Amino acid sequence: MDVATDITEFSYLPAQAQALGVPVPPVERLTLRLPDGRSVSALRYGTEAPRVTLLHGAGLNAHTWDTTVLALQQPTLAIDLAGHGDSSWRPDLDYTPHPLAGDVAAALDAWASGPQLIVGQSLGGLTGAALAAARPDLVEELIIVDITPGIDVSAGPSALREFYAGPTDFATRAELVDRAMALGFGGTKAETERGVFLNTRVREDGRIEWKHHFAHLAAQALAAHDTGTAAAPSRLHETGWDDLAAVTAPITLVRAARGFVSVADAEEFQRRLPAAHLVSMDATHNVQETGPVELAALIVASLSAASGM
């Protein structure tokens, strides 16, 4: 296990913390070499063993959680899923929840000292379910943010397909910021600039490219996450519900009012998992970015309930 010394990626944290009126916790990047030669990377916030582990959605990275973690003020681990952030791309191109969960399990075995409150957004939520089903010893509780295995995500991926259908490398980050804002991604220009900076890298030829593999696979990667139809559900749809049915830890579904999970999706989730807790938040699909304080409050309440406080 290596700890990176370059902290350039943390340069945005002081301003974010100042806006929230909270201190910046100690933070470092961790890298774990996996048996197959790939590596998994993560951000560790705080000096104590983490109690919370965060799993981001497709096309994002661990830094999507920065504002939520600042509001949380708890020892936290935010993992870059395979093919995203500073974690290795998979040569088999399989970015479905089960293989992703295997990497997360390895990371928790290395960096956590006890079962975690797993918070997974979108693809990270399905990955969290796969992890909880396969390794219940690692999961104390599961919070799934704005995703269900049967979700109709036609609006989101169609926009993503248009976004990634164009070039996968750019002359400058400013060019990419302009493209993202033109297609309705990001918030303010400053927020979009931050997101682009943290989700891209400079190649040896000086061109800017996305860190995550999804941008380079485009429609192929998105099609792999198509849930199919009610008459012919995809394998991902079926395994997702099977994973959730096998989870023994408490489950909470966070539905973003302006996100991808419809009222009908939430009702189907509750029908299949009657013991699950449902929470609605006034946020977009990326709740960790558009409703970070409310999401952090939910996580803190879950930690307090688990501690019997």
Side-chain angles (χ1 to χ4, degrees), residues 152-187:
D152 175 6
V153 292
S154 57
S158 65
L160 288 174
R161 285 188 181 91
E162 183 179 357
F163 191 33
Y164 296 136
T168 59
D169 63 310
F170 302 83
T172 65
R173 285 191 168 101
E175 180 183 346
L176 187 47
V177 168
D178 290 342
R179 177 171 171 77
M181 296 195 72
L183 290 173
F185 291 93

Side-chain angles (χ1 to χ4, degrees), residues 55-56 81 95-98 100-102 104 122-132:
L55 307 177
H56 61 76
L81 297 179
Y95 295 111
T96 51
H98 285 194
L100 297 180
V104 173
S122 200
L123 176 59
L126 298 179
T127 300
L131 173 72

Side-chain angles (χ1 to χ4, degrees), residues 11-305:
S11 60
Y12 292 91
L13 289 176
Q16 291 173 274
Q18 184 177 25
L20 291 172
V22 298
V24 179
V27 56
E28 59 185 350
R29 179 166 288 282
L30 307 178
T31 302
L32 177 71
R33 185 68 62 181
L34 299 172
D36 63 2
R38 293 181 301 111
S39 63
V40 60
S41 188
L43 301 176
R44 179 167 59 193
Y45 304 82
T47 57
E48 299 179 4
R51 295 184 60 195
V52 180
T53 292
L54 308 173
L55 307 177
H56 61 76
L60 301 176
N61 61 73
H63 279 292
T64 189
W65 299 100
D66 282 347
T67 308
T68 299
V69 174
L70 289 171
L72 186 57
Q73 293 289 304
Q74 294 285 335
T76 301
L77 190 66
I79 297 176
D80 282 333
L81 297 179
H84 296 76
D86 286 6
S87 291
S88 299
W89 294 0
R90 292 186 61 90
D92 62 4
L93 312 184
D94 189 352
Y95 295 111
T96 51
H98 285 194
L100 297 180
D103 290 353
V104 173
L108 293 181
D109 283 335
W111 297 326
S113 60
Q116 299 288 291
L117 169 55
I118 301 291
V119 184
Q121 184 258 342
S122 200
L123 176 59
L126 298 179
T127 300
L131 173 72
R135 290 289 306 273
D137 58 305
L138 296 176
V139 181
E140 181 178 45
E141 185 172 347
L142 176 63
I143 297 178
I144 299 173
V145 180
D146 207 49
I147 192 71
T148 74
I151 194 172
D152 175 6
V153 292
S154 57
S158 65
L160 288 174
R161 285 188 181 91
E162 183 179 357
F163 191 33
Y164 296 136
T168 59
D169 63 310
F170 302 83
T172 65
R173 285 191 168 101
E175 180 183 346
L176 187 47
V177 168
D178 290 342
R179 177 171 171 77
M181 296 195 72
L183 290 173
F185 291 93
T188 65
K189 186 170 184 179
E191 291 168 341
T192 306
E193 288 173 343
R194 170 183 170 273
V196 166
F197 175 80
L198 294 171
N199 212 12
T200 57
R201 59 185 164 220
V202 181
R203 295 192 320 214
E204 291 184 0
D205 63 1
R207 299 283 292 179
I208 305 297
E209 71 172 3
W210 290 108
K211 284 185 174 182
H212 61 87
H213 208 179
F214 272 34
H216 304 263
L217 301 175
Q220 177 184 350
L222 292 166
H225 293 80
D226 189 341
T227 59
T229 65
S234 71
R235 178 176 175 273
L236 181 62
H237 177 286
E238 294 172 330
T239 57
W241 288 121
D242 289 344
D243 288 337
L244 285 166
V247 174
T248 56
I251 298 174
T252 296
L253 172 66
V254 175
R255 175 181 173 267
R258 292 172 283 128
F260 291 171
V261 175
S262 68
V263 172
D265 292 326
E267 290 174 348
E268 175 67 4
F269 190 95
Q270 187 77 86
R271 184 188 69 78
R272 288 176 178 259
L273 301 164
H277 183 48
L278 265 61
V279 175
S280 181
M281 292 188 180
D282 183 17
T284 64
H285 182 57
N286 292 348
V287 178
Q288 70 279 6
E289 297 178 0
T290 58
V293 174
E294 295 79 3
L295 183 57
L298 173 65
I299 296 170
V300 169
S302 297
L303 289 173
S304 298

